[in-house]
Amino acid sequence: MTLSRLEIIRPDDWHLHLRDGDALASVIGHTARQFARAIVMPNLKPPVTTVAQAEDYRRRILASLPAGSRFQPLMTLYLTETTPPAEIVRAKASDSVVAVKYYPAGATTNSQSGVRELSHVYPVLEAMEKHDLPLLLHGEVTDPDIDIFDRERVFIERHLMPLREKFPALRMVLEHITTHDAVQFVHAAPTHVAATITAHHLLLNRNALFEGGMRPHNYCAPILKRETHRAALLQAATSGDPHFFLGTDSAPHPREAKETDCGCAGLYTAHAALELYAEAFDQAGRLDKLEAFASFHGPDFYRLPRNADRIVLERTPWIVPEEYPLAGSTCKPMRAGESVAWSVVDTAIA
Ligand code: NCD
Ligand code: ZN
Protein backbone atom coordinates (compact mmCIF):
# COMPACT_ATOMS: atom_id res chain seq x y z
CA MET A 1 0.00 0.00 0.00
CA THR A 2 1.39 3.42 -0.88
CA LEU A 3 1.20 5.90 1.89
CA SER A 4 -0.29 9.24 0.79
CA ARG A 5 -0.33 11.11 4.10
CA LEU A 6 2.26 11.26 6.85
CA GLU A 7 1.91 12.95 10.23
CA ILE A 8 5.06 13.33 12.31
CA ILE A 9 6.37 15.29 15.29
CA ARG A 10 7.66 18.66 14.05
CA PRO A 11 11.27 18.31 12.85
CA ASP A 12 14.36 20.46 13.51
CA ASP A 13 17.18 21.36 11.12
CA TRP A 14 20.52 20.51 12.76
CA HIS A 15 22.70 22.34 10.17
CA LEU A 16 21.55 25.53 8.48
CA HIS A 17 22.94 28.72 6.91
CA LEU A 18 20.65 31.70 7.51
CA ARG A 19 23.08 34.48 6.44
CA ASP A 20 22.41 37.98 7.79
CA GLY A 21 20.69 41.28 7.01
CA ASP A 22 18.42 41.35 3.94
CA ALA A 23 19.41 37.80 2.94
CA LEU A 24 18.36 36.51 6.36
CA ALA A 25 15.01 38.25 5.98
CA SER A 26 14.58 36.65 2.53
CA VAL A 27 15.15 33.03 3.64
CA ILE A 28 14.10 32.68 7.28
CA GLY A 29 10.39 32.13 6.49
CA HIS A 30 11.11 28.92 4.59
CA THR A 31 12.81 27.31 7.57
CA ALA A 32 10.45 28.71 10.22
CA ARG A 33 7.47 27.31 8.26
CA GLN A 34 8.37 23.71 8.99
CA PHE A 35 11.15 23.44 11.56
CA ALA A 36 10.82 24.25 15.28
CA ARG A 37 14.57 24.83 15.77
CA ALA A 38 17.72 24.98 13.71
CA ILE A 39 21.43 24.94 14.43
CA VAL A 40 22.60 28.14 12.78
CA MET A 41 26.05 28.10 11.19
CA PRO A 42 28.43 30.91 12.18
CA ASN A 43 30.21 31.48 8.83
CA LEU A 44 29.19 35.11 8.43
CA LYS A 45 31.56 37.86 7.33
CA PRO A 46 33.14 38.41 9.85
CA PRO A 47 32.57 35.02 11.49
CA VAL A 48 30.62 34.61 14.73
CA THR A 49 33.47 33.79 17.12
CA THR A 50 32.22 35.02 20.50
CA VAL A 51 29.16 34.41 22.64
CA ALA A 52 28.39 38.13 22.51
CA GLN A 53 28.37 38.04 18.68
CA ALA A 54 26.23 34.87 18.69
CA GLU A 55 23.70 36.51 20.98
CA ASP A 56 23.51 39.59 18.75
CA TYR A 57 23.07 37.38 15.69
CA ARG A 58 20.35 35.41 17.50
CA ARG A 59 18.48 38.66 18.22
CA ARG A 60 18.69 39.64 14.53
CA ILE A 61 17.27 36.24 13.55
CA LEU A 62 14.40 36.52 16.03
CA ALA A 63 13.66 40.05 14.80
CA SER A 64 13.40 38.84 11.19
CA LEU A 65 10.91 36.03 11.91
CA PRO A 66 7.41 36.19 10.46
CA ALA A 67 4.86 37.42 13.02
CA GLY A 68 3.68 34.71 15.37
CA SER A 69 6.53 32.30 14.58
CA ARG A 70 7.86 30.25 17.48
CA PHE A 71 11.02 29.19 15.64
CA GLN A 72 14.10 28.93 17.91
CA PRO A 73 17.60 29.51 16.50
CA LEU A 74 20.31 27.46 18.26
CA MET A 75 23.62 29.28 17.95
CA THR A 76 27.16 28.10 17.23
CA LEU A 77 30.62 29.64 17.56
CA TYR A 78 33.14 29.62 14.73
CA LEU A 79 36.34 27.99 15.99
CA THR A 80 39.55 29.85 15.15
CA GLU A 81 43.16 29.31 16.17
CA THR A 82 42.79 32.27 18.53
CA THR A 83 39.55 31.19 20.26
CA PRO A 84 40.36 31.33 24.00
CA PRO A 85 39.27 28.34 26.12
CA ALA A 86 37.46 30.90 28.34
CA GLU A 87 35.00 31.45 25.46
CA ILE A 88 33.93 27.81 25.86
CA VAL A 89 33.08 28.44 29.50
CA ARG A 90 31.04 31.50 28.47
CA ALA A 91 29.30 29.46 25.73
CA LYS A 92 28.39 26.69 28.13
CA ALA A 93 26.98 29.22 30.59
CA SER A 94 24.88 30.95 27.90
CA ASP A 95 21.45 29.67 26.99
CA SER A 96 21.92 30.46 23.32
CA VAL A 97 25.15 28.75 22.14
CA VAL A 98 24.86 24.97 21.80
CA ALA A 99 27.98 23.98 19.85
CA VAL A 100 31.26 25.06 18.23
CA LYS A 101 31.91 24.70 14.49
CA TYR A 102 35.24 23.62 13.01
CA TYR A 103 36.02 24.72 9.46
CA PRO A 104 39.34 23.76 7.92
CA ALA A 105 40.75 27.01 6.53
CA GLY A 106 39.86 27.33 2.86
CA ALA A 107 37.37 24.41 2.66
CA THR A 108 34.20 26.34 1.84
CA THR A 109 32.28 29.66 1.93
CA ASN A 110 33.82 32.12 4.45
CA SER A 111 36.23 29.58 5.92
CA GLN A 112 39.33 31.80 5.66
CA SER A 113 39.40 32.26 9.45
CA GLY A 114 39.14 28.52 10.03
CA VAL A 115 41.70 26.18 11.55
CA ARG A 116 44.99 25.50 9.73
CA GLU A 117 46.41 22.98 12.17
CA LEU A 118 44.14 21.01 14.51
CA SER A 119 46.76 20.76 17.26
CA HIS A 120 46.62 24.56 17.59
CA VAL A 121 43.08 24.29 18.98
CA TYR A 122 43.69 21.35 21.35
CA PRO A 123 43.33 23.57 24.46
CA VAL A 124 39.90 24.67 23.22
CA LEU A 125 38.88 21.08 22.45
CA GLU A 126 39.99 20.07 25.92
CA ALA A 127 37.73 22.75 27.39
CA MET A 128 34.86 21.56 25.18
CA GLU A 129 35.36 17.98 26.30
CA LYS A 130 35.48 19.08 29.92
CA HIS A 131 32.41 21.34 29.69
CA ASP A 132 30.55 18.98 27.37
CA LEU A 133 30.02 21.33 24.44
CA PRO A 134 29.67 19.52 21.08
CA LEU A 135 32.13 20.05 18.22
CA LEU A 136 30.57 20.24 14.75
CA LEU A 137 33.02 19.25 12.06
CA HIS A 138 33.27 20.27 8.45
CA GLY A 139 35.15 17.04 7.81
CA GLU A 140 37.34 17.71 4.78
CA VAL A 141 41.06 18.17 4.23
CA THR A 142 42.04 20.97 1.88
CA ASP A 143 45.52 19.83 0.80
CA PRO A 144 45.90 20.58 -2.90
CA ASP A 145 47.44 17.14 -3.50
CA ILE A 146 44.28 15.33 -2.31
CA ASP A 147 41.60 14.64 -4.90
CA ILE A 148 38.52 16.74 -4.12
CA PHE A 149 36.33 13.60 -4.06
CA ASP A 150 38.62 12.09 -1.36
CA ARG A 151 38.65 15.09 0.99
CA GLU A 152 36.18 13.57 3.46
CA ARG A 153 37.69 10.08 3.51
CA VAL A 154 41.19 11.46 4.11
CA PHE A 155 39.91 13.79 6.86
CA ILE A 156 38.48 10.77 8.71
CA GLU A 157 41.77 8.85 8.47
CA ARG A 158 44.14 11.71 9.19
CA HIS A 159 42.22 13.84 11.65
CA LEU A 160 38.99 12.32 12.95
CA MET A 161 40.41 9.01 14.09
CA PRO A 162 43.25 10.67 16.08
CA LEU A 163 40.77 13.24 17.46
CA ARG A 164 38.52 10.47 18.76
CA GLU A 165 41.49 8.91 20.55
CA LYS A 166 42.74 12.15 22.03
CA PHE A 167 39.31 13.40 23.16
CA PRO A 168 37.25 10.24 23.74
CA ALA A 169 34.45 12.00 25.64
CA LEU A 170 34.11 14.95 23.24
CA ARG A 171 30.67 15.01 21.63
CA MET A 172 31.08 15.44 17.88
CA VAL A 173 28.87 15.75 14.81
CA LEU A 174 30.43 15.01 11.45
CA GLU A 175 28.37 17.44 9.41
CA HIS A 176 26.79 16.84 5.98
CA ILE A 177 28.43 13.45 5.44
CA THR A 178 28.81 12.34 1.83
CA THR A 179 30.63 9.00 1.81
CA HIS A 180 30.31 5.35 2.69
CA ASP A 181 33.50 5.83 4.75
CA ALA A 182 31.81 8.44 6.95
CA VAL A 183 28.75 6.24 7.42
CA GLN A 184 30.95 3.35 8.55
CA PHE A 185 33.00 5.49 10.92
CA VAL A 186 29.98 7.09 12.60
CA HIS A 187 27.96 3.87 12.73
CA ALA A 188 30.81 2.14 14.59
CA ALA A 189 31.31 5.02 17.06
CA PRO A 190 29.51 5.53 20.38
CA THR A 191 26.31 7.60 20.09
CA HIS A 192 28.04 10.78 21.31
CA VAL A 193 29.60 10.81 17.82
CA ALA A 194 26.89 11.51 15.25
CA ALA A 195 26.38 12.79 11.70
CA THR A 196 23.97 15.00 9.80
CA ILE A 197 22.87 14.15 6.25
CA THR A 198 21.48 16.66 3.72
CA ALA A 199 18.50 16.05 1.43
CA HIS A 200 20.61 16.84 -1.63
CA HIS A 201 23.23 14.22 -0.78
CA LEU A 202 20.39 11.67 -0.39
CA LEU A 203 18.84 12.57 -3.75
CA LEU A 204 21.75 13.46 -6.05
CA ASN A 205 25.01 11.86 -7.06
CA ARG A 206 27.92 13.56 -8.81
CA ASN A 207 26.37 13.06 -12.27
CA ALA A 208 24.11 15.98 -11.29
CA LEU A 209 27.16 18.26 -11.59
CA PHE A 210 27.41 17.64 -15.33
CA GLU A 211 23.87 16.78 -16.50
CA GLY A 212 23.79 18.14 -20.05
CA GLY A 213 26.54 20.64 -19.19
CA MET A 214 28.06 22.31 -16.12
CA ARG A 215 25.49 22.70 -13.34
CA PRO A 216 26.80 25.27 -10.84
CA HIS A 217 23.63 25.12 -8.73
CA ASN A 218 24.48 21.52 -7.82
CA TYR A 219 27.96 22.50 -6.61
CA CYS A 220 28.32 22.31 -2.83
CA ALA A 221 30.83 21.43 -0.15
CA PRO A 222 31.43 18.60 0.41
CA ILE A 223 30.99 17.92 -3.31
CA LEU A 224 28.41 15.33 -4.49
CA LYS A 225 29.89 11.83 -4.66
CA ARG A 226 29.38 8.73 -6.81
CA GLU A 227 26.19 6.65 -6.64
CA THR A 228 27.56 3.99 -4.28
CA HIS A 229 28.10 6.70 -1.65
CA ARG A 230 24.62 8.17 -2.14
CA ALA A 231 23.17 4.68 -1.65
CA ALA A 232 25.16 4.23 1.59
CA LEU A 233 23.86 7.59 2.91
CA LEU A 234 20.27 6.67 2.07
CA GLN A 235 20.68 3.34 3.81
CA ALA A 236 22.10 5.04 6.93
CA ALA A 237 19.46 7.78 7.07
CA THR A 238 16.58 5.33 6.71
CA SER A 239 18.01 2.64 8.99
CA GLY A 240 16.66 4.02 12.27
CA ASP A 241 20.24 4.30 13.62
CA PRO A 242 20.26 7.23 16.13
CA HIS A 243 23.75 8.31 14.97
CA PHE A 244 22.20 9.94 11.89
CA PHE A 245 19.90 12.97 11.77
CA LEU A 246 18.55 15.74 9.57
CA GLY A 247 20.71 18.75 8.68
CA THR A 248 19.82 20.48 5.43
CA ASP A 249 22.98 22.58 5.00
CA SER A 250 20.67 24.84 3.01
CA ALA A 251 23.11 27.54 1.85
CA PRO A 252 21.65 30.39 -0.21
CA HIS A 253 23.85 32.30 -2.63
CA PRO A 254 22.77 34.98 -5.11
CA ARG A 255 22.41 33.49 -8.57
CA GLU A 256 25.25 35.62 -9.96
CA ALA A 257 27.65 34.29 -7.29
CA LYS A 258 27.04 30.73 -8.53
CA GLU A 259 26.74 31.29 -12.28
CA THR A 260 30.24 32.65 -12.67
CA ASP A 261 33.89 31.75 -12.93
CA CYS A 262 34.83 30.43 -9.46
CA GLY A 263 31.22 30.12 -8.28
CA CYS A 264 30.23 29.63 -4.62
CA ALA A 265 29.47 26.26 -3.03
CA GLY A 266 26.00 25.62 -1.61
CA LEU A 267 22.53 24.36 -2.51
CA TYR A 268 19.38 26.16 -1.38
CA THR A 269 16.90 23.58 -0.08
CA ALA A 270 15.04 25.31 2.77
CA HIS A 271 12.00 26.01 0.56
CA ALA A 272 11.25 22.28 0.29
CA ALA A 273 13.42 20.70 2.95
CA LEU A 274 11.16 18.16 4.61
CA GLU A 275 9.41 17.43 1.30
CA LEU A 276 12.75 16.51 -0.31
CA TYR A 277 13.69 14.25 2.60
CA ALA A 278 10.24 12.60 2.31
CA GLU A 279 10.97 11.89 -1.36
CA ALA A 280 14.27 10.26 -0.48
CA PHE A 281 12.78 8.11 2.29
CA ASP A 282 9.87 7.21 0.00
CA GLN A 283 12.33 6.08 -2.71
CA ALA A 284 13.91 3.77 -0.14
CA GLY A 285 10.47 2.48 0.93
CA ARG A 286 11.19 3.74 4.47
CA LEU A 287 8.80 6.63 5.11
CA ASP A 288 8.17 5.02 8.48
CA LYS A 289 11.73 6.00 9.49
CA LEU A 290 11.47 9.69 8.55
CA GLU A 291 10.13 10.86 11.92
CA ALA A 292 13.00 9.42 13.97
CA PHE A 293 15.62 10.87 11.56
CA ALA A 294 13.94 14.30 11.32
CA SER A 295 12.47 14.76 14.79
CA PHE A 296 14.00 12.40 17.40
CA HIS A 297 17.69 11.65 16.87
CA GLY A 298 18.81 15.31 16.74
CA PRO A 299 17.22 16.48 20.03
CA ASP A 300 18.34 13.25 21.70
CA PHE A 301 21.97 13.94 20.70
CA TYR A 302 21.81 17.60 21.81
CA ARG A 303 19.94 16.60 25.01
CA LEU A 304 17.05 18.91 24.18
CA PRO A 305 13.37 17.99 24.46
CA ARG A 306 11.73 16.53 21.38
CA ASN A 307 9.08 18.85 19.91
CA ALA A 308 5.49 18.26 20.94
CA ASP A 309 3.46 19.59 18.00
CA ARG A 310 3.05 17.78 14.69
CA ILE A 311 3.35 18.42 10.97
CA VAL A 312 1.47 16.76 8.10
CA LEU A 313 2.87 15.78 4.70
CA GLU A 314 0.77 14.67 1.73
CA ARG A 315 1.77 13.03 -1.51
CA THR A 316 0.65 16.07 -3.54
CA PRO A 317 3.16 17.24 -6.15
CA TRP A 318 3.97 20.92 -6.61
CA ILE A 319 6.26 22.87 -8.89
CA VAL A 320 9.15 24.73 -7.30
CA PRO A 321 9.45 28.38 -8.47
CA GLU A 322 12.34 29.19 -10.82
CA GLU A 323 13.79 31.52 -8.20
CA TYR A 324 13.21 33.12 -4.83
CA PRO A 325 14.17 36.67 -3.80
CA LEU A 326 17.50 36.88 -1.97
CA ALA A 327 18.34 40.34 -0.62
CA GLY A 328 18.60 42.51 -3.77
CA SER A 329 19.05 39.49 -6.02
CA THR A 330 17.55 36.04 -6.53
CA CYS A 331 18.46 32.51 -5.53
CA LYS A 332 17.85 29.44 -7.67
CA PRO A 333 16.51 26.69 -5.36
CA MET A 334 16.95 22.93 -5.69
CA ARG A 335 14.41 21.55 -8.22
CA ALA A 336 13.75 25.03 -9.67
CA GLY A 337 10.90 24.76 -12.21
CA GLU A 338 10.51 21.06 -11.44
CA SER A 339 8.21 18.95 -9.36
CA VAL A 340 8.54 17.85 -5.72
CA ALA A 341 6.38 14.84 -4.86
CA TRP A 342 5.38 15.75 -1.29
CA SER A 343 3.79 18.84 0.25
CA VAL A 344 3.66 20.03 3.84
CA VAL A 345 -0.05 20.70 4.23
CA ASP A 346 -0.55 21.48 7.89
CA THR A 347 2.02 22.72 10.32
CA ALA A 348 -0.05 23.74 13.31
CA ILE A 349 -1.62 20.62 14.77
CA ALA A 350 -1.22 20.64 18.54
C1 NCD B 1 28.11 26.49 2.82
C2 NCD B 1 27.86 27.98 2.66
O1 NCD B 1 27.60 28.44 1.54
O2 NCD B 1 27.90 28.70 3.66
N1 NCD B 1 28.27 25.90 1.51
C3 NCD B 1 28.11 24.61 1.19
O3 NCD B 1 28.38 24.25 0.04
N2 NCD B 1 27.65 23.73 2.04
C4 NCD B 1 29.27 26.26 3.71
C5 NCD B 1 29.44 24.83 4.16
O4 NCD B 1 28.66 24.33 4.97
O5 NCD B 1 30.37 24.18 3.68
ZN1 ZN C 1 27.05 24.08 6.01
Side-chain angles (χ1 to χ4, degrees), residues 136 256 287 304 332:
L136 314 184
E256 63 278 9
L287 275 171
L304 292 167
K332 186 173 171 183

PDB file of all heavy atoms in Angstrom, residues 136 256 287 304 332:
ATOM      1  N   LEU A 136      31.172  20.551  16.046  1.00  0.00           N
ATOM      2  CA  LEU A 136      30.566  20.244  14.749  1.00  0.00           C
ATOM      3  C   LEU A 136      31.657  20.355  13.698  1.00  0.00           C
ATOM      4  O   LEU A 136      32.293  21.396  13.580  1.00  0.00           O
ATOM      5  CB  LEU A 136      29.424  21.215  14.449  1.00  0.00           C
ATOM      6  CG  LEU A 136      28.432  21.466  15.594  1.00  0.00           C
ATOM      7  CD1 LEU A 136      27.289  22.365  15.133  1.00  0.00           C
ATOM      8  CD2 LEU A 136      27.886  20.153  16.145  1.00  0.00           C
ATOM      9  N   GLU A 256      24.042  35.179  -9.247  1.00  0.00           N
ATOM     10  CA  GLU A 256      25.248  35.622  -9.959  1.00  0.00           C
ATOM     11  C   GLU A 256      26.529  35.144  -9.277  1.00  0.00           C
ATOM     12  O   GLU A 256      27.585  35.091  -9.903  1.00  0.00           O
ATOM     13  CB  GLU A 256      25.252  37.149 -10.159  1.00  0.00           C
ATOM     14  CG  GLU A 256      25.280  37.995  -8.896  1.00  0.00           C
ATOM     15  CD  GLU A 256      23.908  38.198  -8.238  1.00  0.00           C
ATOM     16  OE1 GLU A 256      22.922  37.546  -8.657  1.00  0.00           O
ATOM     17  OE2 GLU A 256      23.842  39.003  -7.286  1.00  0.00           O
ATOM     18  N   LEU A 287       9.434   5.428   4.541  1.00  0.00           N
ATOM     19  CA  LEU A 287       8.803   6.631   5.106  1.00  0.00           C
ATOM     20  C   LEU A 287       8.550   6.493   6.599  1.00  0.00           C
ATOM     21  O   LEU A 287       8.532   7.478   7.333  1.00  0.00           O
ATOM     22  CB  LEU A 287       7.467   6.898   4.388  1.00  0.00           C
ATOM     23  CG  LEU A 287       7.576   7.689   3.089  1.00  0.00           C
ATOM     24  CD1 LEU A 287       6.234   7.695   2.364  1.00  0.00           C
ATOM     25  CD2 LEU A 287       8.049   9.121   3.344  1.00  0.00           C
ATOM     26  N   LEU A 304      18.131  17.930  24.147  1.00  0.00           N
ATOM     27  CA  LEU A 304      17.053  18.910  24.181  1.00  0.00           C
ATOM     28  C   LEU A 304      15.738  18.132  24.084  1.00  0.00           C
ATOM     29  O   LEU A 304      15.721  17.007  23.580  1.00  0.00           O
ATOM     30  CB  LEU A 304      17.179  19.870  22.982  1.00  0.00           C
ATOM     31  CG  LEU A 304      18.400  20.790  23.037  1.00  0.00           C
ATOM     32  CD1 LEU A 304      18.637  21.466  21.691  1.00  0.00           C
ATOM     33  CD2 LEU A 304      18.206  21.836  24.127  1.00  0.00           C
ATOM     34  N   LYS A 332      18.480  30.538  -6.941  1.00  0.00           N
ATOM     35  CA  LYS A 332      17.847  29.437  -7.669  1.00  0.00           C
ATOM     36  C   LYS A 332      17.807  28.211  -6.744  1.00  0.00           C
ATOM     37  O   LYS A 332      18.840  27.669  -6.368  1.00  0.00           O
ATOM     38  CB  LYS A 332      18.638  29.130  -8.940  1.00  0.00           C
ATOM     39  CG  LYS A 332      17.941  28.094  -9.797  1.00  0.00           C
ATOM     40  CD  LYS A 332      18.602  27.894 -11.151  1.00  0.00           C
ATOM     41  CE  LYS A 332      17.951  26.678 -11.807  1.00  0.00           C
ATOM     42  NZ  LYS A 332      18.517  26.316 -13.069  1.00  0.00           N
TER      43      LYS A 332
END
